[in-house]
Amino acid sequence: MKYFHEKIEAKWQHYWAKNQTFAASNQSDKPKYYVLDMFPYPSGAGLHVGHPLGYIASDIVARYKRHQGFNVLHPQGYDSFGLPAEQYAIQTGQHPADTTRMNIEGGVDKSGNSIQGYRNQLDKIGFSFDWSREVRTSNADYYKHTQWIFIQLFESWYNKTSDKAESICTLMQEFEKNGNTQVNAVCDDNITSFSAAEWSAFSSEQQQKILLQYRLTYLAETEVNWCAALGTVLANDEIVNGVSERGGHPVVRKKMTQWSMRISAYAERLLQGLNDIDWSESIKESQRNWIGKSVGATVSFKVKSQKSESQTQSESFDLRPSTFDYINVFTTRPDTIFGVTFMTLAPEHDLVKQITTPEQKAAVEAYVEATAKRSERERMADVKTISGVFTGAYAEHPFTKEPIPVWIGDYVLAGYGTGAVMAVPCGDERDYAFANFFKGTHGMPEIKNIFNQDISEAAYGEKGGFELVNSDFLNGLDYKNGTKKAIEALEEIGAGNAKVNYRLRDAVFSRQRYWGEPFPVYYVNGLPQMIDKKHLPIVLPEVEKYLPTEDGQPPLGNATVWAWDVEKSQIVSCELIDNVNVFPLELNTMPGWAGSSWYWMRYMDAQNENDFASEDALKYWESVDLYIGGSEHATGHLLYSRFWNKFLKDRGYAPTEEPFKKLINQGMILGMSAFVYRSEDSKTFYSKGLIQGKNVNPIHVDLSCINDITNELDIEKFKSHPLYADYKDAEFVLENGKYIVGREVEKMSKSKYNVVSPDDICDEYGADTLRLYEMFLGPLEQSKPWNTAGITGVSGFLKKLWRLYFDDNGSVIVNDEPNAEMYKSLHKTIKKVTEDIENFSFNTSVSQFMICVNELQQLKCNHRAILEPLAILVSPYAPHIAEELWLGLKDLKIEELKDYEGISTQLFPKFEEKYLVESEKEYPVSFNGKMRFTIKLPLDLTAAQIEEIVMADERTQAHLQGRTPNKVIIVPGKIINLVG
């Protein structure tokens, strides 16, 4: 009976699906365990061998927990909205719904491409997913709940006193009773105060506008990353080096009216919550830095622009109260207030246009335009480039009343703090470099030194080791006392106050895309109105074009049936819009992170038609016990998910404060790319060893064109490959008669032609081999290159394992009692594998399996008492072969599986220490340090007893030949040495 992985794996995959072996119950007496993988995006490229790495690890844990008696929820679904599907639709003319469905289910698309389908690929690897709970974010039965959550955010405000989100109704009640003067809320800046009487006198429209300033999701004019080529706003994590991650298109900063969410309201809770979750320190630190808590003070500087370039500072600095504007800054160093030499505004700051003088207008406008082409990340990362422009305006120092020149510089960001800094060059390296770079130019005074330290070579940025000088009433003070006294003085004159600031900004929630969740919003006189829950979902309409309209509207502007009839409560033709009964619907769609910010709760009760999940299901599953996914989502998905979970907890819909108890970030499996080296004229290709000193361009080459072992290029195959048709007449310069390609480890990507399909591995070696091999490559968290050199060894191991149970004639299982060595080998493995799974160290388990099987093979072990627990041990890693071995152990045939209790129902073997306790020791017996023979003795013997036995042994007597040794050295359990 031979091991045929194809038949075995297909048989058990069919059995598991038919019998819903891994379906979890929402009612169980067993303890629950919820293990989750990050949502996959179903692209047409399908899975490569890097994608299953985290899934295999989570599946091992899920199967292990079932063996331990847990009710395990291990679901899967698809994050199926997003820009890639929309771009593919634009290119091919196919509807994103059709391409998305094809990418999930497989088949032949309208362009004639054969698509394997994510579901088929995942099933082929043998994951124990509960597919009865599958979700797709692009299905209306899913996104109607995303729309409902959006409405709840709109109908909520953040009460800083209770430190949680509350219904907007409670805020309206407060307005009706007391106005807004006592309200302690997270809201827009510069809120106008009003009394209860004034609130009641406001029109409905005025009240709605005021409430928009408090709602957790709101409309506002916001600085966004606009990509004209893609026709949409991009999130910061969708931009790389100033261009769009997808397509490499230019991105500029521009102001647009967008939906935003007040994630900033949760900044402190998001920060503190990191102390309560079991995540890697690197991910926590990424979120801490992104949230960016700073303690300091706000300071207000009066400002007025110069009248003319020809006037002197004193003549132009006319500070009449009627002309005052203010520049508000946040600083963590209020103790340095007397060291302010100049001020810098972000180029996007609202005041820039107002305060810039005519003489400086052209230079300022040119600089602003140039800055708009750089992403915020690029500006933050570029610490070497110094650039800026003087506005011609001056501000007034709050204490000395001296004029301070106002500059703009792209190292200041509009969204961080107030978008303005008070520059203290003597205490800050970047300010110091800026001041020295523009030293001697108009609008840049000499640096003021307020420390009793030398700043001739560099700024003094320390918070200790100095006393303040040239600082008026702060002279002689240190950082701590200077800060306290400066804040007190600022508050006394009304020029500032103590402040905790966060770098975290409200999240822009609008996208000018088609393939996303429609907003459940229509507009009356330009003000947003929410559509009632009972009318959800608001289904994405059909459109002819997926690009923005000719007048710049988002793609939904192409929809002809996209208006809301308030009387009929339904979507009707746009031609019926009369702004009386029929109103325009929102044209933007939600961002890609909308559906993924709550999906783990939908898995708890995926078939619920009325609510996103029932109260009972949410109470039972609570939160995710183990979450596995990539670290690249640290400041995107993982932060937004925590925000939505906390909000839903505040409003009584979620049972826990945090969504994911433990998070593990798997590393990447990297591809081994291949390169050929082309001359500049494209006529000649040089072998790798001949490129030294030549001007050549490396070109990625498809791995199908090379020998993966020898790295030799098949030149004829290369020339006939459709990708390289332009080079069919090129000359190839060989070394030793061969063209050797270059190799380099890179991210596995279709664009680098270094992708290895898991389907190919499963076909040739089997899914169990793939699973074991991916774990065997190295620690889960580390990135590692894919190398097929070791895969045959793993395949051979499974064949060895099989032969412990079967030979060519069938089962070889015996019911004899195993010997001590067999038990020892088994329990060493039980101990090691249990510890490894608990510690997520899966690679060393595979090594232990190999050691154990080799030992049992040498011991000729076919004993049921050993091989039954061994099959269960292997099951989480190699489930197909384990299930077949278990069937053989039960002496059943496939047609007898009606009452079969699969291996997944069996309890995990327990380690017993007694089998590893050694009762005997094989001692080496040495004479003058040279080992002559060995003797096996009980470990409980004393040194005297050991000496008596050794001296009486005939081999000792033969070696001594009647002599008496000068000394007998015995260390019980270790050595025996006769000297002299």
Side-chain angles (χ1 to χ4, degrees):
M1 187 175 174
K2 292 186 177 179
Y3 170 54
F4 295 107
H5 67 78
E6 309 96 326
K7 293 180 180 179
I8 289 170
E9 291 175 358
K11 176 175 77 175
W12 289 110
Q13 287 163 15
H14 174 75
Y15 174 83
W16 295 331
K18 180 181 177 181
N19 293 277
Q20 294 192 46
T21 302
F22 308 115
S25 171
N26 281 0
Q27 293 181 336
S28 176
D29 294 331
K30 296 178 180 179
K32 72 94 181 180
Y33 192 83
Y34 186 176
V35 57
L36 182 64
D37 305 291
M38 282 190 185
F39 240 2
Y41 176 80
S43 72
L47 295 174
H48 60 63
V49 291
H51 291 121
L53 180 67
Y55 302 161
I56 294 169
S58 68
D59 199 56
I60 289 170
V61 176
R63 290 176 179 273
Y64 169 70
K65 288 294 182 179
R66 289 191 193 96
H67 285 309
Q68 286 194 314
F70 284 83
N71 179 30
V72 175
L73 176 56
H74 187 209
Q76 188 57 284
Y78 306 97
D79 191 9
S80 48
F81 267 135
L83 185 59
E86 183 171 300
Q87 287 301 111
Y88 189 68
I90 292 169
Q91 293 163 9
T92 64
Q94 300 181 73
H95 196 286
D98 294 334
T99 59
T100 299
R101 182 174 59 254
M102 186 67 66
N103 290 343
I104 293 172
E105 299 171 7
V108 179
D109 68 12
K110 292 179 181 178
S111 298
N113 299 309
S114 179
I115 308 295
Q116 181 65 20
Y118 267 52
R119 175 63 190 270
N120 297 324
Q121 290 188 288
L122 291 168
D123 282 345
K124 202 168 186 175
I125 303 173
F127 295 118
S128 62
F129 293 134
D130 180 356
W131 283 113
S132 69
R133 298 171 186 256
E134 178 194 306
V135 301
R136 301 181 189 183
T137 58
S138 58
N139 283 2
D141 62 356
Y142 180 87
Y143 68 69
K144 81 173 192 178
H145 302 293
T146 310
Q147 291 172 340
W148 176 82
I149 294 172
F150 174 83
I151 293 170
Q152 303 317 301
L153 283 153
F154 183 81
E155 298 294 351
S156 301
W157 67 293
Y158 200 91
N159 188 337
K160 292 167 75 173
T161 301
S162 62
D163 199 22
K164 68 175 187 177
E166 296 179 3
S167 168
I168 202 74
C169 295
T170 62
L171 182 63
M172 294 169 69
Q173 289 167 5
E174 176 63 21
F175 289 169
E176 289 167 3
K177 291 179 183 177
N178 305 306
N180 70 343
T181 54
Q182 301 302 314
V183 170
N184 187 19
V186 177
C187 56
D188 290 355
D189 295 331
N190 305 317
I191 295 286
T192 302
S193 299
F194 54 82
S195 65
E198 288 171 320
W199 170 258
S200 299
F202 290 147
S203 68
S204 173
E205 285 190 9
Q206 287 176 307
Q207 290 182 347
Q208 287 185 59
K209 288 178 180 177
I210 290 169
L211 289 172
L212 267 178
Q213 296 179 302
Y214 291 86
R215 295 182 187 276
L216 282 183
T217 186
Y218 61 95
L219 280 170
E221 192 177 60
T222 311
E223 278 279 339
V224 295
N225 303 307
W226 174 250
C227 180
L230 297 176
T232 190
V233 168
L234 298 179
N236 284 332
D237 56 5
E238 295 173 311
I239 303 167
V240 178
N241 298 324
V243 297
S244 63
E245 184 179 34
R246 185 168 185 83
H249 302 295
V251 178
V252 298
R253 299 286 293 174
K254 66 180 290 188
K255 288 191 174 181
M256 295 180 68
T257 299
Q258 303 280 297
W259 282 103
S260 291
M261 289 196 173
R262 294 190 204 278
I263 188 174
S264 58
Y266 286 83
E268 187 63 26
R269 282 170 63 185
L270 288 167
L271 198 60
Q272 295 305 318
L274 294 171
N275 299 323
D276 304 323
I277 49 181
D278 184 6
W279 292 16
S280 71
E281 193 55 38
S282 62
I283 291 289
K284 289 183 178 183
E285 194 59 24
S286 291
Q287 291 206 352
R288 289 189 189 104
N289 291 336
W290 194 260
I291 295 165
K293 183 178 181 178
S294 301
V295 179
T298 56
V299 186
S300 292
F301 291 81
K302 294 176 182 178
V303 63
K304 185 180 182 301
S305 61
Q306 273 184 297
K307 292 176 180 176
S308 164
E309 189 77 11
S310 61
Q311 292 174 303
T312 64
Q313 274 190 25
S314 59
E315 289 174 332
S316 63
F317 201 71
D318 181 12
L319 292 177
R320 289 171 293 185
S322 60
T323 62
F324 286 156
D325 283 311
Y326 289 88
I327 295 177
N328 296 312
V329 304
F330 171 79
T331 177
T332 59
R333 295 294 304 272
D335 60 311
T336 65
I337 187 70
F338 288 98
V340 178
T341 300
F342 62 97
M343 301 189 74
T344 314
L345 303 181
E348 310 88 349
H349 197 289
D350 290 336
L351 276 178
V352 172
K353 286 185 179 179
Q354 297 177 37
I355 68 174
T356 300
T357 60
E359 293 84 356
Q360 295 297 110
K361 183 180 179 183
V364 167
E365 287 180 348
Y367 187 79
V368 170
E369 183 180 352
T371 302
K373 296 175 183 177
R374 303 184 76 200
S375 71
E376 288 193 357
R377 285 190 175 182
E378 186 181 358
R379 287 161 60 182
M380 290 168 67
D382 185 7
V383 295
K384 294 182 179 179
T385 304
I386 300 171
S387 67
V389 175
F390 178 42
T391 66
Y394 288 83
E396 179 188 80
H397 193 284
F399 295 118
T400 68
K401 308 303 180 184
E402 292 175 347
I404 303 167
V406 182
W407 288 66
I408 59 171
D410 67 0
Y411 73 97
V412 183
L413 304 178
Y416 178 57
T418 64
V421 298
M422 58 176 221
V424 182
C426 66
D428 180 272
E429 284 295 341
R430 199 148 193 179
D431 292 343
Y432 188 88
F434 194 93
N436 277 311
F437 185 83
F438 291 106
K439 184 178 180 180
T441 63
H442 181 61
M444 183 54 68
E446 290 290 324
I447 294 174
K448 299 176 182 177
N449 188 10
I450 56 166
F451 305 117
N452 61 341
Q453 301 290 330
D454 178 29
I455 62 161
S456 59
E457 300 296 329
Y460 186 80
E462 303 298 322
K463 289 185 177 180
F466 71 86
E467 285 185 1
L468 289 166
V469 297
N470 302 320
S471 295
D472 202 325
F473 57 88
L474 299 180
N475 284 337
L477 299 181
D478 57 11
Y479 161 72
K480 184 177 180 181
N481 292 305
T483 295
K484 181 181 177 182
K485 192 164 184 178
I487 292 174
E488 289 173 352
L490 286 167
E491 289 177 342
E492 187 176 334
I493 64 172
N497 54 271
K499 170 84 172 176
V500 175
N501 195 55
Y502 300 92
R503 183 181 289 114
L504 182 67
R505 286 160 288 169
D506 288 344
V508 176
F509 199 67
S510 295
R511 296 292 186 270
Q512 291 68 44
R513 297 176 184 167
Y514 170 73
W515 193 235
E517 295 91 337
F519 284 92
V521 175
Y522 65 96
Y523 288 89
V524 177
N525 295 329
L527 290 170
Q529 313 296 318
M530 298 297 118
I531 294 171
D532 193 275
K533 175 185 177 181
K534 62 187 176 185
H535 304 308
L536 300 180
I538 302 303
V539 178
L540 195 64
E542 295 285 340
V543 295
E544 287 188 14
K545 298 178 181 178
Y546 307 119
L547 289 168
T549 65
E550 292 180 3
D551 59 354
Q553 295 280 18
L556 286 186
N558 293 308
T560 56
V561 181
W562 195 240
W564 185 251
D565 188 320
V566 294
E567 288 192 337
K568 296 178 180 178
S569 295
Q570 65 183 41
I571 296 173
V572 296
S573 170
C574 296
E575 293 179 354
L576 299 177
I577 293 175
D578 58 10
N579 291 310
V580 177
N581 294 315
V582 180
F583 300 92
L585 282 159
E586 172 67 67
L587 298 181
N588 288 311
T589 53
M590 298 185 198
W593 55 269
S596 62
S597 290
W598 70 278
Y599 75 108
W600 62 94
M601 287 185 273
R602 184 59 178 169
Y603 282 140
M604 297 177 186
D605 196 12
Q607 307 308 320
N608 193 318
E609 294 182 5
N610 298 316
D611 301 307
F612 71 84
S614 70
E615 188 175 345
D616 288 343
L618 288 161
K619 184 177 180 181
Y620 178 74
W621 293 110
E622 290 187 330
S623 60
V624 176
D625 295 284
L626 174 66
Y627 197 27
I628 296 182
S631 60
E632 66 272 17
H633 300 289
T635 57
H637 160 65
L638 289 170
L639 200 61
Y640 298 139
S641 297
R642 295 181 62 218
F643 160 41
W644 276 36
N645 201 94
K646 289 175 187 295
F647 164 73
L648 290 169
K649 171 71 163 55
D650 287 352
R651 294 305 313 273
Y653 302 117
T656 61
E657 178 82 2
E658 292 286 344
F660 317 121
K661 292 179 183 176
K662 183 173 182 63
L663 171 70
I664 294 178
N665 301 120
Q666 86 275 8
M668 287 193 297
I669 289 183
L670 305 171
M672 180 66 82
S673 299
F675 297 89
V676 290
Y677 300 92
R678 185 192 69 189
S679 62
E680 282 195 322
D681 61 8
S682 301
K683 294 180 179 179
T684 308
F685 286 84
Y686 294 93
S687 185
K688 175 71 167 66
L690 305 175
I691 63 174
Q692 191 72 29
K694 292 184 173 62
N695 194 3
V696 295
N697 296 315
I699 297 175
H700 282 94
V701 60
D702 194 305
L703 297 185
S704 65
C705 297
I706 69 165
N707 182 314
D708 207 29
I709 305 300
T710 65
N711 295 329
E712 183 180 355
L713 178 72
D714 185 327
I715 296 174
E716 292 308 314
K717 204 171 195 179
F718 176 84
K719 287 182 175 181
S720 62
H721 196 291
L723 284 171
Y724 313 115
D726 293 344
Y727 309 126
K728 61 183 179 181
D729 297 324
E731 178 189 356
F732 286 78
V733 182
L734 312 180
E735 50 183 314
N736 301 319
K738 299 177 180 179
Y739 188 99
I740 305 301
V741 299
R743 302 304 297 265
E744 186 176 324
V745 174
E746 297 183 293
K747 180 180 179 181
M748 197 170 281
S749 168
K750 194 174 182 181
S751 65
K752 301 181 189 302
Y753 311 113
N754 63 358
V755 166
V756 178
S757 169
D759 300 356
D760 296 339
I761 304 298
C762 289
D763 290 342
E764 186 171 355
Y765 298 101
D768 286 338
T769 296
L770 173 70
R771 292 168 64 105
L772 284 165
Y773 186 62
E774 291 220 3
M775 294 298 96
F776 188 53
L777 283 173
L780 178 63
E781 295 91 342
Q782 291 182 9
S783 293
K784 46 259 177 186
W786 177 262
N787 186 343
T788 55
I791 204 164
T792 53
V794 174
S795 177
F797 154 72
L798 287 175
K799 292 172 183 175
K800 280 186 180 180
L801 173 67
W802 179 264
R803 286 195 290 271
L804 292 177
Y805 296 77
F806 302 102
D807 64 13
D808 290 347
N809 299 313
S811 175
V812 293
I813 301 297
V814 298
N815 293 316
D816 301 350
E817 178 65 19
N819 63 34
E821 287 301 310
M822 295 175 186
Y823 275 119
K824 179 181 177 182
S825 183
L826 172 68
H827 281 270
K828 276 194 307 183
T829 305
I830 294 172
K831 183 175 187 291
K832 178 63 175 164
V833 173
T834 302
E835 290 173 350
D836 282 350
I837 297 177
E838 294 285 355
N839 294 317
F840 309 100
S841 301
F842 307 109
N843 58 312
T844 48
S845 281
V846 181
S847 301
Q848 182 58 40
F849 286 140
M850 293 176 174
I851 292 168
C852 178
V853 167
N854 284 336
E855 289 176 348
L856 294 179
Q857 196 176 45
Q858 290 170 8
L859 293 167
K860 302 186 185 309
C861 175
N862 307 111
H863 299 62
R864 182 180 300 276
I866 300 297
L867 297 184
E868 278 195 358
L870 179 61
I872 299 170
L873 281 176
V874 170
S875 175
Y877 291 79
H880 305 91
I881 192 173
E883 197 84 72
E884 188 72 13
L885 296 176
W886 191 256
L887 189 72
L889 287 162
K890 299 305 171 187
D891 198 24
L892 292 170
K893 307 299 180 187
I894 189 71
E895 60 270 13
E896 299 169 347
L897 293 183
K898 182 180 178 183
D899 300 318
Y900 172 69
E901 289 190 0
I903 197 168
S904 63
T905 65
Q906 308 305 310
L907 289 177
F908 207 72
K910 291 192 178 296
F911 167 65
E912 294 185 53
E913 181 73 40
K914 66 181 181 181
Y915 292 112
L916 266 59
V917 174
E918 301 280 0
S919 59
E920 291 184 319
K921 165 72 178 177
E922 189 166 9
Y923 286 92
V925 180
S926 299
F927 293 82
N928 294 321
K930 291 184 178 181
M931 196 274 285
R932 299 299 183 182
F933 62 87
T934 61
I935 184 170
K936 188 174 286 187
L937 298 172
L939 276 170
D940 57 358
L941 295 179
T942 64
Q945 290 171 323
I946 293 170
E947 182 176 348
E948 183 180 347
I949 293 170
V950 169
M951 292 302 295
D953 191 285
E954 60 184 17
R955 290 170 294 180
T956 304
Q957 294 302 319
H959 191 81
L960 289 174
Q961 296 181 346
R963 290 179 288 107
T964 301
N966 297 330
K967 192 175 184 181
V968 178
I969 302 171
I970 294 174
V971 179
K974 293 186 177 180
I975 61 171
I976 300 171
N977 187 24
L978 285 71
V979 181

